[in-house]
Amino acid sequence: MPGAPKPQNEAERLASLRSYKILDTMVEREYDDVVELASYICHTPINLISLVDEDRQWFKSKKGLEAAETSRDLAFCAHAILTPDKPLIVNDTTKDERFADNALVLGGPEIRFYAGCPLNTPDGNSLGTLCVIDTVPRELSEVQINALQVLSSNIVNLLELRRAEIEKQELLDKLQSSNADLERFAFSASHDLTEPLRVMRNYANFLEVDYSAHLDEEGQRFLGKLSSAAERGFVLVEDLLAYSRVNAEEAQEYFDANQVFETILVDLERLVSESNARISHDRLPQLYGAEVRFSRLLQNLIVNSLKYQPEGQQPVIHVGVEDEGHQYILSIKDNGIGIEKEYAESIFEPFKRLHSQKKYSGTGLGLAMCKKMAESMGGRIWVNSEPGKGSIFYFSIPKAKDVEVAI
Ligand code: ADP
């Protein structure tokens, strides 16, 4: 007898089989376990998960057979998939005209008994079978047949899970690559814009200082607007550049967070003395990671604590630390204006601002940058706050052995 005819939906069936990306993959324990169980339940020497490809049947898992695949013309399973709604059971192959002259019956492995349960996908395609084979004529009990059917639908579940996992990974890869494209774009756009904006800002300043006396009141007003717009544009582009640079490789090393803190205070000296701020801190730990990144993160949060204050109030800020065993939690507590609960997450998105430029100036990139920096060090960032009662910003930093840098 020639091989089994092809199912009517063969093209669709093959497309479905390919979509699982399972053909020619390595041995996997989950599938071998099912085959082991089938052999245990049916007491059969040969047990297979066979997937019927265009011209061959390929075995995802096999027990009692050496071959990795056989020609589709010889495949019993190619017959089994023609009747997807029931198992194909051949008690004595020598008495069945479809198989009596099959090479696998006449020669090795001398199949006499075959039972195959189709592997039916949710979209109605039969990919192959879970089959059990013996070299002597046999029968299976109803319980054994039912068990085989349960196992075959478990195999389909495994395939579905695998496909979902692959699709998720592919989506993630796409997302990562489009994020990387966007970052490259943001970097080169902001990089190229920095210079002309710097020139604009500088000339606007010169004009204001040296020439404003030659202008009438309206001219001076226009110049003032031009100058502050150029300044804002320059600061925005600088922030964008810094934001798109956060993921650049930076050396990982041990550093003393107390020293970083002291350096930040020196940098912020003017801001601190102008506002008469009181800044205290717990004894900070030795940390592992990119020191520059940590320093920028902490400085951004302290600057915000100094900035988002009711007018005329003395800022009181405390930097604390908790040791959680596998990570440190740093906190920056202030007595500032606080934040409505509903904005507790969105303030970490790029360009999210809660106030007008007039009231509190800014680009809305500071906290987005902090989030990126915290995540790139393997941690996360969040805030607890209430309007009028101040805010506590927290970020976590894994200890050295737990660091998994998320670039
Ligand atoms: P920017 O300060 O440039 O506006 P950020 O990303 O640093 O941007 O902050 C986003 C918004 O979060 C700010 O506009 C402000 O409304 C709010 N915010 C940040 N830090 C504080 C803070 N310590 N207290 C109150 N509000 C804050």
Side-chain angles (χ1 to χ4, degrees):
M1 272 289 278
K6 304 234 157 129
Q8 275 184 345
N9 64 344
E10 178 64 1
E12 190 197 315
R13 194 192 69 79
L14 281 174
S16 173
L17 175 60
R18 303 263 145 80
S19 75
Y20 290 95
K21 299 197 166 120
I22 184 85
L23 291 171
D24 301 308
T25 52
M26 306 290 281
V27 168
E28 282 172 85
R29 221 188 104 202
E30 295 97 310
Y31 296 88
D32 285 352
D33 284 350
V34 178
V35 161
E36 192 63 47
L37 213 53
S39 122
Y40 178 74
I41 292 167
C42 300
H43 313 293
T44 36
I46 300 174
N47 307 271
L48 308 163
I49 295 175
S50 157
L51 297 167
V52 180
D53 196 6
E54 199 166 358
D55 307 309
R56 61 174 180 160
Q57 65 172 338
W58 177 80
F59 306 124
K60 173 61 192 166
S61 174
K62 57 197 165 80
K63 185 176 181 205
L65 192 76
E66 277 304 310
E69 59 184 45
T70 71
S71 151
R72 182 167 176 169
D73 290 342
L74 302 178
F76 282 56
C77 301
H79 290 267
I81 62 170
L82 296 174
T83 50
D85 43 352
K86 58 174 193 231
L88 171 66
I89 300 189
V90 185
N91 297 116
D92 185 347
T93 55
T94 59
K95 297 200 172 111
D96 187 315
E97 62 170 17
R98 289 171 296 178
F99 304 111
D101 60 354
N102 185 302
L104 305 174
V105 173
L106 297 176
E110 298 187 356
I111 298 175
R112 290 294 175 274
F113 169 78
Y114 171 92
C117 282
L119 302 172
N120 299 324
T121 65
D123 54 359
N125 290 298
S126 202
L127 306 179
T129 69
L130 167 65
C131 64
V132 295
I133 291 170
D134 210 334
T135 50
V136 289
R138 285 270 309 270
E139 281 186 4
L140 288 185
S141 70
E142 210 179 311
V143 172
Q144 285 172 314
I145 293 171
N146 285 344
L148 270 189
Q149 280 174 315
V150 170
L151 290 180
S152 72
S153 64
N154 264 338
I155 294 170
V156 176
N157 286 345
L158 284 176
L159 290 170
E160 287 282 307
L161 268 177
R162 174 199 174 80
R163 184 166 64 180
E165 193 53 43
I166 290 175
E167 281 170 1
K168 193 178 96 191
Q169 194 51 49
E170 284 174 352
L171 263 179
L172 262 178
D173 291 348
K174 262 197 207 147
L175 202 69
Q176 265 170 358
S177 114
S178 80
N179 272 350
D181 283 351
L182 263 177
E183 270 178 22
R184 267 194 296 276
F185 172 75
F187 176 78
S188 60
S190 43
H191 182 262
D192 293 352
L193 280 172
T194 308
E195 203 38 44
L197 276 166
R198 190 200 311 275
V199 173
M200 266 174 71
R201 183 193 64 167
N202 290 349
Y203 277 102
N205 283 347
F206 289 150
L207 275 176
E208 265 195 319
V209 174
D210 296 338
Y211 290 91
S212 68
H214 302 288
L215 298 173
D216 62 13
E217 208 174 296
E218 194 168 40
Q220 288 184 9
R221 197 162 53 82
F222 288 160
L223 184 55
K225 280 188 185 295
L226 175 70
S227 172
S228 69
E231 177 68 31
R232 264 209 321 279
F234 179 71
V235 172
L236 177 63
V237 157
E238 266 206 331
D239 275 6
L240 255 179
L241 195 58
Y243 179 73
S244 57
R245 268 184 184 150
V246 169
N247 279 347
E249 291 268 330
E250 272 173 30
Q252 310 275 313
E253 59 205 343
Y254 281 98
F255 60 88
D256 180 0
N258 299 288
Q259 266 173 21
V260 173
F261 181 85
E262 297 306 329
T263 313
I264 291 175
L265 282 195
V266 173
D267 287 350
L268 299 181
E269 203 175 338
R270 221 187 72 198
L271 213 56
V272 173
S273 70
E274 272 171 11
S275 60
N276 192 27
R278 257 197 302 127
I279 307 185
S280 55
H281 71 100
D282 290 349
R283 170 112 200 111
L284 301 176
Q286 282 274 106
L287 292 173
Y288 181 81
E291 180 176 346
V292 180
R293 203 168 286 180
F294 170 81
S295 164
R296 253 184 271 139
L297 169 52
L298 187 58
Q299 177 157 340
N300 276 359
L301 294 175
I302 295 177
V303 167
N304 275 355
S305 289
L306 290 167
K307 175 163 121 185
Y308 292 104
Q309 291 282 341
E311 212 176 327
Q313 174 168 279
Q314 178 190 34
V316 179
I317 299 166
H318 182 77
V319 176
V321 63
E322 287 285 329
D323 185 342
E324 285 202 336
H326 66 295
Q327 63 178 4
Y328 290 109
I329 308 283
L330 278 101
S331 56
I332 295 83
K333 181 173 190 288
D334 66 45
N335 60 339
I337 57 173
I339 299 162
E340 301 272 1
K341 279 222 161 25
E342 61 183 295
Y343 300 118
E345 287 191 9
S346 60
I347 50 169
F348 294 101
E349 290 166 11
F351 305 115
K352 181 72 186 176
R353 308 203 65 243
L354 306 180
H355 309 280
S356 66
Q357 289 294 343
K358 253 196 188 140
K359 196 144 190 221
Y360 296 102
S361 67
T363 59
L365 279 169
L367 288 180
M369 206 146 35
C370 289
K371 180 168 190 283
K372 238 180 162 192
M373 290 191 277
E375 288 172 358
S376 74
M377 291 189 293
R380 60 184 201 93
I381 186 167
W382 67 100
V383 67
N384 268 346
S385 183
E386 227 182 284
K389 295 204 171 155
S391 311
I392 312 182
F393 281 81
Y394 297 92
F395 64 94
S396 57
I397 293 215
K399 290 188 182 173
K401 66 181 168 49
D402 299 318
V403 173
E404 207 178 273
V405 179
I407 288 189

